[in-house]
Amino acid sequence: MFSLTSEEWTAVELSLRIASWATLCALPFGLAIAWLLARKEFWGKAILDGIVHLPLVLPPVVTGYMLLVVMGRRGPVGAFLAEHFGIVFSFRWTGAALACAVMGFPLLVRAIRLSIEASDVKLERAAATLGANPLAVFFTVTLPLALPGILAGMVLCFAKALGEFGATITFVSNIPGETQTISAAIYTYTQAPGGDEAAMRLTVIAIVIALVALVASEWFARRAGAKIHGA
């Protein structure tokens, strides 16, 4: 029952790779946007916040189709990247990582933003008063205080990327060994005669990975919070 075939192992390995890259690539942008929304007031803030959270409310296939139109080989951005840098996203595992990063981005930003908002802004002002420049304040004060939220956001983004299906299959299709993640493989097996056993194996694997990630997130967040507050 739980002896995975080589194709199933490939789907698991590919899913972990895609989810990891999606989380790592989304992190710097998530930090910047979360800090901007948490610490700055500007015209259009509500619009930016709405755009960031759009992937949560839009059908995933809409997000995937938009990525295909913009980032595909004939899209304005995709064509430019392919022609000048040789970077291709459509129908590649890198495109799957991009789609997963976009889908998990709102969860990442929200967790980090809430953590930054909960941090005492007086500590940042004190550091600035002592001569620290804004960049130093961010890396030495804001970032450490927001660490529990950053860890939680990263795991939420990872878990979302691990289970993403609609946007991924729309943007990069379902190519075994290249873009076929656990979710896509489960879908494929459920459509094939006699594929229920393989689908169940991958389902169990997905549940275990997600559960381990969530438990690890809680543990790391508690450890980070205790270290920051001296508990």
Side-chain angles (χ1 to χ4, degrees):
M1 172 63 183
F2 294 104
S3 178
L4 300 182
T5 65
S6 60
E7 291 81 5
E8 292 163 16
W9 274 118
T10 299
V12 172
E13 184 273 331
L14 188 60
S15 295
L16 292 173
R17 189 204 319 169
I18 288 173
S20 298
W21 275 105
T23 303
L24 291 175
C25 292
L27 182 58
F29 300 100
L31 284 169
I33 296 296
W35 177 83
L36 190 64
L37 293 174
R39 288 289 187 255
K40 297 295 181 180
E41 294 295 332
F42 54 91
W43 185 90
K45 181 177 178 178
I47 297 176
L48 176 61
D49 189 42
I51 293 174
V52 168
H53 288 86
L54 264 182
L56 288 181
V57 295
L58 284 175
V61 292
V62 173
T63 303
Y65 178 71
M66 291 174 62
L67 285 172
L68 185 61
V69 170
V70 176
M71 303 297 294
R73 283 182 176 271
R74 297 183 179 179
V77 178
F80 175 82
L81 292 175
E83 182 179 350
H84 293 86
F85 301 100
I87 300 174
V88 178
F89 287 107
S90 56
F91 308 108
R92 301 282 181 86
W93 75 266
T94 50
L98 175 62
C100 290
V102 171
M103 294 301 295
F105 192 70
L107 299 176
L108 178 69
V109 171
R110 185 166 183 81
I112 298 175
R113 178 185 177 181
L114 292 174
S115 189
I116 293 176
E117 288 177 340
S119 303
D120 191 352
V121 71
K122 294 179 181 178
L123 297 175
E124 297 176 357
R125 292 172 182 169
T129 302
L130 293 173
N133 60 54
L135 199 60
V137 171
F138 177 77
F139 282 106
T140 61
V141 179
T142 308
L143 210 58
L145 290 176
L147 186 57
I150 294 173
L151 293 174
M154 288 179 66
V155 173
L156 287 174
C157 183
F158 178 85
K160 177 64 176 176
L162 192 66
E164 178 51 40
F165 175 71
T168 304
I169 200 170
T170 304
F171 182 38
V172 297
S173 190
N174 182 10
I175 306 171
E178 181 66 32
T179 65
Q180 189 178 75
T181 60
I182 291 177
S183 300
I186 291 174
Y187 173 79
T188 299
Y189 286 129
T190 58
Q191 303 302 307
D196 290 342
E197 188 174 327
M200 180 58 67
R201 285 196 295 266
L202 290 177
T203 298
V204 173
I205 293 294
I207 292 173
V208 170
I209 293 174
L211 186 60
V212 169
L214 292 173
V215 171
S217 167
E218 181 67 19
W219 185 80
F220 280 120
R222 286 181 180 273
R223 287 278 302 236
K227 185 176 181 180
I228 290 171
H229 299 291

